[in-house]
Amino acid sequence: MVMIFDTLSALCIFIFFAGKLLNMSLRFTEKYPEVAAGLSIEVKRTLYSGKSPFQKIEVFETEKFGRMLAIDGCIMLTERDEFIYHEMITHVPLYIHPNAESILVIGGGDGGTVREILKHPEVIAVDLVDIDRRVSEVCLEFFPEISRGLLSERVNCHFEDGVEFVKRQKKHYDLIIIDSTDPINVGEGLFTSDFYQNCNSILKEDGILVNQAESPMYSNRWVRSISEKFNKSFPIVQFYGANVPTYPSGFWMFGFASKKYDPNNLFHEQKFVKDKLNLKYYNAMVHQACFTLPNYVKDLIND
Ligand code: SAM
C-alpha cells in the first residue's frame, strides 16, 4: 500500500515539474470549423461543468481573461471583454429610441444585457426569456457582478423558448434585444424569418429590434441571411459593428431593424450627456462610428 502511494505521489510530482519545465498549460480552445482555425485561452481551472437539458455549460478561471462562460464549446463571455458586447447591444438602440420603457430580451440569461439596460432610468419593465434556467443559475453563482440585475424588481425572467414566447405574446414592446447563442441547436429558431415577423408583431409602432449577428469574416453567410430576413419584415435595416476580442475573428456584427427610427440621423446626445453612465466602450463618437462598415461587410449586407 505504502509502495503504491509512494509511486503515485512520485508520478504526480514528476508530471507537475515536467509540466512546469516544458511550460505546459491547460487550454480551452473554441474551434471555428468554417475557417479551420480557433481561439485558445489559457485556463487555471474549471469552476463548473454541467449539462442542462439544452446545452453544455462551463465556467473557467482563465489566466488573463478572468472568469469565462462557455456554452457547447463556444465562448459566451469573459470578464475581461464582456463589457464591449453588452454595452453595444444595449446602448446603441437605447440612445436611438427616444423613450424605451418596455424591453424584451430573448436569450441573455447571463444577465449582462439586463445589467446595461437597467442603467437607463426610463426603462420600466424588462421581460427576459431564456430557454435555459441553468445558465442564469450558474451565472448568478459564478458571475454575480454581471448577472445580479436578473433579480431586479424591474426584471421578469421567463425560462422558455423565445420562439414560442414571441408567437403567443400579446404585450407590445419598445425594444427587443436578441442576445442569443449561434444559429445552431436551440438558437436556430431565433434566426428565422417567421421569428423576426413575430417580433415585428409585438413591437410598438416605433419599435426597434437588435440582435447579435455573428462574424462578417467567419460566418458571412449568416450576416447575409439575417440581412435578407430583416429586410422582409422591417422598413429600416442597418448593421453596426464592434471589436470583441474573444468572439470569432474579433469583429462582431449587430443587426438593427426598426419600424420608424433611422439610426443614420438619430442619437439622443442630450440624454446621453444627462445620464452620465459609467461605460467602458460606448460613447457618442463610437455610436456614430459603429454604423460605418468596411466594404466587404457592406457588400454582404447589400447583396
Ligand atoms: N453574448 C453571447 C454570444 O453572442 O455568444 C450570448 C450569451 S447568452 C448566454 C445566450 C443565451 O441564449 C443562452 O443562455 C441560451 O440559453 C439562450 N438561448 C438559445 N436559444 C434560445 C431560445 N430558442 N430561446 C431563448 N433563449 C435561447
mmCIF file of all heavy atoms in Angstrom, residues 54-55 69 71 75-77 85-86 106-110 129-132 135-136 160-163 179-182 186-190 212 214 247 252, ligand 1:
data_model
loop_
_atom_site.group_PDB
_atom_site.id
_atom_site.type_symbol
_atom_site.label_atom_id
_atom_site.label_comp_id
_atom_site.label_asym_id
_atom_site.label_seq_id
_atom_site.Cartn_x
_atom_site.Cartn_y
_atom_site.Cartn_z
ATOM 1 N N PHE A 54 -30.561 21.383 -22.338
ATOM 2 C CA PHE A 54 -30.415 22.048 -23.639
ATOM 3 C C PHE A 54 -28.984 22.118 -24.152
ATOM 4 O O PHE A 54 -28.764 22.146 -25.356
ATOM 5 C CB PHE A 54 -30.975 23.482 -23.553
ATOM 6 C CG PHE A 54 -32.385 23.516 -23.067
ATOM 7 C CD1 PHE A 54 -32.678 23.824 -21.748
ATOM 8 C CD2 PHE A 54 -33.420 23.202 -23.933
ATOM 9 C CE1 PHE A 54 -33.983 23.832 -21.292
ATOM 10 C CE2 PHE A 54 -34.731 23.212 -23.485
ATOM 11 C CZ PHE A 54 -35.013 23.517 -22.160
ATOM 12 N N GLN A 55 -28.003 22.214 -23.229
ATOM 13 C CA GLN A 55 -26.644 22.504 -23.689
ATOM 14 C C GLN A 55 -25.619 22.236 -22.590
ATOM 15 O O GLN A 55 -25.964 22.088 -21.422
ATOM 16 C CB GLN A 55 -26.566 23.965 -24.147
ATOM 17 C CG GLN A 55 -27.113 24.958 -23.137
ATOM 18 C CD GLN A 55 -27.743 26.195 -23.758
ATOM 19 O OE1 GLN A 55 -27.665 26.417 -24.950
ATOM 20 N NE2 GLN A 55 -28.357 27.028 -22.932
ATOM 21 N N LEU A 69 -17.380 32.115 -19.440
ATOM 22 C CA LEU A 69 -18.539 31.226 -19.604
ATOM 23 C C LEU A 69 -18.521 30.664 -21.023
ATOM 24 O O LEU A 69 -18.398 31.423 -21.995
ATOM 25 C CB LEU A 69 -19.831 32.022 -19.384
ATOM 26 C CG LEU A 69 -21.153 31.305 -19.713
ATOM 27 C CD1 LEU A 69 -21.469 30.220 -18.667
ATOM 28 C CD2 LEU A 69 -22.319 32.301 -19.773
ATOM 29 N N ILE A 71 -20.685 27.896 -23.680
ATOM 30 C CA ILE A 71 -21.846 27.024 -23.897
ATOM 31 C C ILE A 71 -21.563 26.201 -25.146
ATOM 32 O O ILE A 71 -21.213 26.753 -26.198
ATOM 33 C CB ILE A 71 -23.152 27.836 -24.044
ATOM 34 C CG1 ILE A 71 -23.522 28.484 -22.706
ATOM 35 C CG2 ILE A 71 -24.296 26.933 -24.529
ATOM 36 C CD1 ILE A 71 -24.852 29.223 -22.683
ATOM 37 N N ILE A 75 -17.347 30.381 -26.592
ATOM 38 C CA ILE A 75 -17.197 31.410 -25.555
ATOM 39 C C ILE A 75 -18.399 32.355 -25.598
ATOM 40 O O ILE A 75 -18.712 32.935 -26.637
ATOM 41 C CB ILE A 75 -15.891 32.214 -25.763
ATOM 42 C CG1 ILE A 75 -14.692 31.276 -25.624
ATOM 43 C CG2 ILE A 75 -15.806 33.372 -24.773
ATOM 44 C CD1 ILE A 75 -13.363 31.899 -26.025
ATOM 45 N N MET A 76 -19.072 32.469 -24.460
ATOM 46 C CA MET A 76 -20.215 33.392 -24.351
ATOM 47 C C MET A 76 -19.748 34.728 -23.804
ATOM 48 O O MET A 76 -20.188 35.779 -24.225
ATOM 49 C CB MET A 76 -21.273 32.828 -23.399
ATOM 50 C CG MET A 76 -21.956 31.577 -23.862
ATOM 51 S SD MET A 76 -23.092 31.915 -25.225
ATOM 52 C CE MET A 76 -22.279 31.067 -26.546
ATOM 53 N N LEU A 77 -18.876 34.654 -22.793
ATOM 54 C CA LEU A 77 -18.340 35.901 -22.244
ATOM 55 C C LEU A 77 -17.081 35.617 -21.448
ATOM 56 O O LEU A 77 -16.879 34.513 -20.951
ATOM 57 C CB LEU A 77 -19.379 36.608 -21.373
ATOM 58 C CG LEU A 77 -19.887 35.948 -20.093
ATOM 59 C CD1 LEU A 77 -18.979 36.202 -18.896
ATOM 60 C CD2 LEU A 77 -21.269 36.487 -19.762
ATOM 61 N N TYR A 85 -19.450 43.836 -25.769
ATOM 62 C CA TYR A 85 -20.659 43.273 -26.382
ATOM 63 C C TYR A 85 -21.916 43.785 -25.673
ATOM 64 O O TYR A 85 -22.878 44.227 -26.324
ATOM 65 C CB TYR A 85 -20.575 41.739 -26.298
ATOM 66 C CG TYR A 85 -21.816 41.016 -26.719
ATOM 67 C CD1 TYR A 85 -22.014 40.635 -28.046
ATOM 68 C CD2 TYR A 85 -22.819 40.700 -25.790
ATOM 69 C CE1 TYR A 85 -23.163 39.959 -28.434
ATOM 70 C CE2 TYR A 85 -23.957 40.032 -26.172
ATOM 71 C CZ TYR A 85 -24.129 39.667 -27.489
ATOM 72 O OH TYR A 85 -25.275 38.998 -27.866
ATOM 73 N N HIS A 86 -21.906 43.760 -24.345
ATOM 74 C CA HIS A 86 -23.134 44.116 -23.620
ATOM 75 C C HIS A 86 -23.465 45.607 -23.734
ATOM 76 O O HIS A 86 -24.631 45.982 -23.843
ATOM 77 C CB HIS A 86 -23.040 43.664 -22.153
ATOM 78 C CG HIS A 86 -23.083 42.171 -22.028
ATOM 79 N ND1 HIS A 86 -22.133 41.431 -21.355
ATOM 80 C CD2 HIS A 86 -23.957 41.272 -22.541
ATOM 81 C CE1 HIS A 86 -22.426 40.146 -21.448
ATOM 82 N NE2 HIS A 86 -23.533 40.018 -22.159
ATOM 83 N N ILE A 106 -34.402 38.389 -25.541
ATOM 84 C CA ILE A 106 -34.508 36.952 -25.827
ATOM 85 C C ILE A 106 -33.107 36.365 -25.702
ATOM 86 O O ILE A 106 -32.177 36.853 -26.352
ATOM 87 C CB ILE A 106 -35.026 36.692 -27.267
ATOM 88 C CG1 ILE A 106 -36.312 37.458 -27.535
ATOM 89 C CG2 ILE A 106 -35.158 35.209 -27.532
ATOM 90 C CD1 ILE A 106 -37.565 36.775 -27.122
ATOM 91 N N GLY A 107 -32.931 35.319 -24.909
ATOM 92 C CA GLY A 107 -31.595 34.812 -24.573
ATOM 93 C C GLY A 107 -31.065 35.662 -23.434
ATOM 94 O O GLY A 107 -31.844 36.099 -22.568
ATOM 95 N N GLY A 108 -29.738 35.892 -23.436
ATOM 96 C CA GLY A 108 -29.175 36.822 -22.435
ATOM 97 C C GLY A 108 -29.278 36.351 -21.002
ATOM 98 O O GLY A 108 -29.246 37.172 -20.076
ATOM 99 N N GLY A 109 -29.385 35.035 -20.776
ATOM 100 C CA GLY A 109 -29.554 34.506 -19.413
ATOM 101 C C GLY A 109 -28.387 34.792 -18.495
ATOM 102 O O GLY A 109 -28.508 34.644 -17.276
ATOM 103 N N ASP A 110 -27.244 35.222 -19.036
ATOM 104 C CA ASP A 110 -26.102 35.586 -18.184
ATOM 105 C C ASP A 110 -26.331 36.912 -17.467
ATOM 106 O O ASP A 110 -25.654 37.232 -16.495
ATOM 107 C CB ASP A 110 -24.812 35.656 -19.019
ATOM 108 C CG ASP A 110 -24.975 36.574 -20.224
ATOM 109 O OD1 ASP A 110 -24.955 37.796 -20.051
ATOM 110 O OD2 ASP A 110 -25.144 36.061 -21.351
ATOM 111 N N VAL A 129 -36.315 36.329 -21.656
ATOM 112 C CA VAL A 129 -36.765 34.970 -21.984
ATOM 113 C C VAL A 129 -35.562 34.149 -22.411
ATOM 114 O O VAL A 129 -35.043 34.325 -23.522
ATOM 115 C CB VAL A 129 -37.799 34.991 -23.139
ATOM 116 C CG1 VAL A 129 -38.328 33.589 -23.391
ATOM 117 C CG2 VAL A 129 -38.938 35.947 -22.831
ATOM 118 N N ASP A 130 -35.100 33.289 -21.528
ATOM 119 C CA ASP A 130 -34.001 32.377 -21.901
ATOM 120 C C ASP A 130 -34.524 30.948 -21.800
ATOM 121 O O ASP A 130 -35.221 30.602 -20.852
ATOM 122 C CB ASP A 130 -32.795 32.581 -20.979
ATOM 123 C CG ASP A 130 -31.534 31.975 -21.572
ATOM 124 O OD1 ASP A 130 -31.490 30.734 -21.764
ATOM 125 O OD2 ASP A 130 -30.585 32.714 -21.871
ATOM 126 N N ILE A 131 -34.162 30.143 -22.770
ATOM 127 C CA ILE A 131 -34.673 28.769 -22.788
ATOM 128 C C ILE A 131 -34.104 27.950 -21.622
ATOM 129 O O ILE A 131 -34.712 26.974 -21.194
ATOM 130 C CB ILE A 131 -34.323 28.097 -24.152
ATOM 131 C CG1 ILE A 131 -35.201 26.884 -24.411
ATOM 132 C CG2 ILE A 131 -32.866 27.734 -24.259
ATOM 133 C CD1 ILE A 131 -35.170 26.400 -25.856
ATOM 134 N N ASP A 132 -32.967 28.408 -21.082
ATOM 135 C CA ASP A 132 -32.229 27.561 -20.146
ATOM 136 C C ASP A 132 -32.045 28.241 -18.780
ATOM 137 O O ASP A 132 -31.149 29.071 -18.601
ATOM 138 C CB ASP A 132 -30.870 27.235 -20.768
ATOM 139 C CG ASP A 132 -30.184 26.068 -20.087
ATOM 140 O OD1 ASP A 132 -30.601 25.709 -18.967
ATOM 141 O OD2 ASP A 132 -29.241 25.522 -20.683
ATOM 142 N N VAL A 135 -28.480 28.398 -17.141
ATOM 143 C CA VAL A 135 -27.485 29.426 -17.483
ATOM 144 C C VAL A 135 -27.546 30.555 -16.444
ATOM 145 O O VAL A 135 -26.527 30.985 -15.913
ATOM 146 C CB VAL A 135 -27.723 29.995 -18.909
ATOM 147 C CG1 VAL A 135 -26.814 31.189 -19.189
ATOM 148 C CG2 VAL A 135 -27.516 28.918 -19.968
ATOM 149 N N SER A 136 -28.748 30.991 -16.134
ATOM 150 C CA SER A 136 -28.884 32.088 -15.164
ATOM 151 C C SER A 136 -28.447 31.650 -13.764
ATOM 152 O O SER A 136 -27.775 32.409 -13.055
ATOM 153 C CB SER A 136 -30.334 32.578 -15.118
ATOM 154 O OG SER A 136 -30.691 33.078 -16.381
ATOM 155 N N GLU A 160 -38.137 29.765 -21.021
ATOM 156 C CA GLU A 160 -38.807 29.007 -22.081
ATOM 157 C C GLU A 160 -38.222 29.411 -23.434
ATOM 158 O O GLU A 160 -37.413 30.348 -23.516
ATOM 159 C CB GLU A 160 -40.313 29.267 -22.047
ATOM 160 C CG GLU A 160 -40.681 30.724 -22.264
ATOM 161 C CD GLU A 160 -42.193 30.929 -22.451
ATOM 162 O OE1 GLU A 160 -42.710 30.610 -23.548
ATOM 163 O OE2 GLU A 160 -42.812 31.415 -21.506
ATOM 164 N N ASP A 161 -38.653 28.724 -24.465
ATOM 165 C CA ASP A 161 -38.149 29.013 -25.813
ATOM 166 C C ASP A 161 -38.647 30.392 -26.272
ATOM 167 O O ASP A 161 -39.855 30.655 -26.278
ATOM 168 C CB ASP A 161 -38.661 27.914 -26.756
ATOM 169 C CG ASP A 161 -38.046 28.015 -28.140
ATOM 170 O OD1 ASP A 161 -37.423 29.050 -28.450
ATOM 171 O OD2 ASP A 161 -38.200 27.047 -28.909
ATOM 172 N N GLY A 162 -37.703 31.255 -26.680
ATOM 173 C CA GLY A 162 -38.062 32.600 -27.134
ATOM 174 C C GLY A 162 -38.977 32.578 -28.348
ATOM 175 O O GLY A 162 -39.807 33.472 -28.530
ATOM 176 N N VAL A 163 -38.834 31.557 -29.186
ATOM 177 C CA VAL A 163 -39.660 31.462 -30.402
ATOM 178 C C VAL A 163 -41.133 31.331 -30.001
ATOM 179 O O VAL A 163 -42.010 32.029 -30.542
ATOM 180 C CB VAL A 163 -39.212 30.239 -31.249
ATOM 181 C CG1 VAL A 163 -40.156 30.009 -32.414
ATOM 182 C CG2 VAL A 163 -37.779 30.426 -31.725
ATOM 183 N N ASP A 179 -30.246 38.364 -27.710
ATOM 184 C CA ASP A 179 -28.888 38.124 -27.206
ATOM 185 C C ASP A 179 -28.712 36.607 -27.137
ATOM 186 O O ASP A 179 -28.715 36.011 -26.062
ATOM 187 C CB ASP A 179 -28.792 38.789 -25.817
ATOM 188 C CG ASP A 179 -27.443 38.582 -25.166
ATOM 189 O OD1 ASP A 179 -26.533 38.047 -25.815
ATOM 190 O OD2 ASP A 179 -27.313 38.954 -23.985
ATOM 191 N N SER A 180 -28.587 36.013 -28.309
ATOM 192 C CA SER A 180 -28.706 34.552 -28.395
ATOM 193 C C SER A 180 -27.358 33.872 -28.590
ATOM 194 O O SER A 180 -26.355 34.520 -28.858
ATOM 195 C CB SER A 180 -29.582 34.201 -29.592
ATOM 196 O OG SER A 180 -28.895 34.529 -30.777
ATOM 197 N N THR A 181 -27.387 32.559 -28.495
ATOM 198 C CA THR A 181 -26.248 31.751 -28.932
ATOM 199 C C THR A 181 -26.242 31.744 -30.464
ATOM 200 O O THR A 181 -27.088 32.369 -31.105
ATOM 201 C CB THR A 181 -26.390 30.318 -28.381
ATOM 202 O OG1 THR A 181 -27.741 29.906 -28.548
ATOM 203 C CG2 THR A 181 -26.058 30.231 -26.915
ATOM 204 N N ASP A 182 -25.315 30.998 -31.041
ATOM 205 C CA ASP A 182 -25.198 30.945 -32.514
ATOM 206 C C ASP A 182 -26.421 30.243 -33.130
ATOM 207 O O ASP A 182 -27.178 29.578 -32.429
ATOM 208 C CB ASP A 182 -23.914 30.185 -32.897
ATOM 209 C CG ASP A 182 -22.676 30.952 -32.472
ATOM 210 O OD1 ASP A 182 -22.777 32.175 -32.286
ATOM 211 O OD2 ASP A 182 -21.623 30.322 -32.313
ATOM 212 N N VAL A 186 -30.384 24.991 -29.981
ATOM 213 C CA VAL A 186 -31.592 25.700 -29.538
ATOM 214 C C VAL A 186 -31.695 27.125 -30.092
ATOM 215 O O VAL A 186 -32.773 27.717 -30.116
ATOM 216 C CB VAL A 186 -31.707 25.748 -27.997
ATOM 217 C CG1 VAL A 186 -32.135 24.413 -27.442
ATOM 218 C CG2 VAL A 186 -30.408 26.225 -27.354
ATOM 219 N N GLY A 187 -30.563 27.694 -30.536
ATOM 220 C CA GLY A 187 -30.569 29.074 -31.030
ATOM 221 C C GLY A 187 -31.108 29.198 -32.450
ATOM 222 O O GLY A 187 -31.402 30.315 -32.906
ATOM 223 N N GLU A 188 -31.236 28.096 -33.150
ATOM 224 C CA GLU A 188 -31.551 28.142 -34.579
ATOM 225 C C GLU A 188 -32.840 28.914 -34.897
ATOM 226 O O GLU A 188 -32.883 29.721 -35.822
ATOM 227 C CB GLU A 188 -31.664 26.703 -35.093
ATOM 228 C CG GLU A 188 -31.279 26.574 -36.524
ATOM 229 C CD GLU A 188 -31.198 25.109 -36.967
ATOM 230 O OE1 GLU A 188 -31.066 24.211 -36.099
ATOM 231 O OE2 GLU A 188 -31.303 24.886 -38.183
ATOM 232 N N GLY A 189 -33.877 28.666 -34.094
ATOM 233 C CA GLY A 189 -35.181 29.284 -34.348
ATOM 234 C C GLY A 189 -35.155 30.805 -34.221
ATOM 235 O O GLY A 189 -36.048 31.500 -34.723
ATOM 236 N N LEU A 190 -34.128 31.340 -33.558
ATOM 237 C CA LEU A 190 -34.039 32.792 -33.355
ATOM 238 C C LEU A 190 -33.428 33.500 -34.558
ATOM 239 O O LEU A 190 -33.175 34.703 -34.523
ATOM 240 C CB LEU A 190 -33.223 33.102 -32.088
ATOM 241 C CG LEU A 190 -33.710 32.423 -30.795
ATOM 242 C CD1 LEU A 190 -32.794 32.777 -29.630
ATOM 243 C CD2 LEU A 190 -35.140 32.821 -30.467
ATOM 244 N N GLN A 212 -27.672 39.884 -32.008
ATOM 245 C CA GLN A 212 -26.250 39.583 -32.219
ATOM 246 C C GLN A 212 -26.196 38.884 -33.562
ATOM 247 O O GLN A 212 -26.920 37.930 -33.808
ATOM 248 C CB GLN A 212 -25.657 38.787 -31.042
ATOM 249 C CG GLN A 212 -26.022 37.326 -30.947
ATOM 250 C CD GLN A 212 -25.144 36.415 -31.816
ATOM 251 O OE1 GLN A 212 -24.288 36.893 -32.548
ATOM 252 N NE2 GLN A 212 -25.395 35.130 -31.739
ATOM 253 N N GLU A 214 -23.388 37.755 -35.491
ATOM 254 C CA GLU A 214 -22.271 36.901 -35.903
ATOM 255 C C GLU A 214 -21.093 37.671 -36.519
ATOM 256 O O GLU A 214 -21.106 38.890 -36.584
ATOM 257 C CB GLU A 214 -22.782 35.816 -36.862
ATOM 258 C CG GLU A 214 -23.898 34.952 -36.267
ATOM 259 C CD GLU A 214 -23.412 34.001 -35.185
ATOM 260 O OE1 GLU A 214 -22.382 33.361 -35.376
ATOM 261 O OE2 GLU A 214 -24.083 33.900 -34.135
ATOM 262 N N TYR A 247 -14.640 36.836 -29.440
ATOM 263 C CA TYR A 247 -15.611 36.253 -30.374
ATOM 264 C C TYR A 247 -14.906 35.976 -31.704
ATOM 265 O O TYR A 247 -13.947 36.683 -32.041
ATOM 266 C CB TYR A 247 -16.808 37.191 -30.593
ATOM 267 C CG TYR A 247 -17.788 37.224 -29.438
ATOM 268 C CD1 TYR A 247 -18.870 38.094 -29.451
ATOM 269 C CD2 TYR A 247 -17.646 36.386 -28.341
ATOM 270 C CE1 TYR A 247 -19.783 38.132 -28.395
ATOM 271 C CE2 TYR A 247 -18.553 36.427 -27.285
ATOM 272 C CZ TYR A 247 -19.617 37.300 -27.312
ATOM 273 O OH TYR A 247 -20.508 37.340 -26.276
ATOM 274 N N TRP A 252 -17.395 41.862 -34.498
ATOM 275 C CA TRP A 252 -18.742 41.302 -34.320
ATOM 276 C C TRP A 252 -19.815 42.239 -34.863
ATOM 277 O O TRP A 252 -19.687 43.457 -34.756
ATOM 278 C CB TRP A 252 -18.992 41.047 -32.827
ATOM 279 C CG TRP A 252 -19.963 39.927 -32.623
ATOM 280 C CD1 TRP A 252 -21.214 40.013 -32.092
ATOM 281 C CD2 TRP A 252 -19.764 38.552 -32.949
ATOM 282 N NE1 TRP A 252 -21.804 38.767 -32.077
ATOM 283 C CE2 TRP A 252 -20.936 37.851 -32.608
ATOM 284 C CE3 TRP A 252 -18.703 37.832 -33.529
ATOM 285 C CZ2 TRP A 252 -21.085 36.481 -32.806
ATOM 286 C CZ3 TRP A 252 -18.856 36.470 -33.721
ATOM 287 C CH2 TRP A 252 -20.035 35.817 -33.355
HETATM 288 N N1 SAM B 1 -23.370 37.074 -25.817
HETATM 289 C C1 SAM B 1 -23.461 35.747 -26.186
HETATM 290 C C2 SAM B 1 -22.910 35.399 -27.529
HETATM 291 O O1 SAM B 1 -23.136 36.095 -28.513
HETATM 292 O O2 SAM B 1 -22.224 34.392 -27.593
HETATM 293 C C3 SAM B 1 -24.834 35.194 -25.945
HETATM 294 C C4 SAM B 1 -24.886 34.899 -24.494
HETATM 295 S S1 SAM B 1 -26.354 34.361 -23.773
HETATM 296 C C5 SAM B 1 -25.636 33.285 -22.579
HETATM 297 C C6 SAM B 1 -27.117 33.287 -24.954
HETATM 298 C C7 SAM B 1 -28.343 32.619 -24.371
HETATM 299 O O3 SAM B 1 -29.268 32.341 -25.415
HETATM 300 C C8 SAM B 1 -28.096 31.290 -23.668
HETATM 301 O O4 SAM B 1 -28.278 31.460 -22.293
HETATM 302 C C9 SAM B 1 -29.132 30.346 -24.272
HETATM 303 O O5 SAM B 1 -29.748 29.513 -23.329
HETATM 304 C C10 SAM B 1 -30.116 31.326 -24.895
HETATM 305 N N2 SAM B 1 -30.939 30.753 -25.974
HETATM 306 C C11 SAM B 1 -30.533 29.999 -27.009
HETATM 307 N N3 SAM B 1 -31.603 29.642 -27.767
HETATM 308 C C12 SAM B 1 -32.702 30.189 -27.180
HETATM 309 C C13 SAM B 1 -34.094 30.176 -27.484
HETATM 310 N N4 SAM B 1 -34.567 29.496 -28.533
HETATM 311 N N5 SAM B 1 -34.919 30.866 -26.679
HETATM 312 C C14 SAM B 1 -34.450 31.551 -25.612
HETATM 313 N N6 SAM B 1 -33.140 31.580 -25.272
HETATM 314 C C15 SAM B 1 -32.272 30.913 -26.040
#
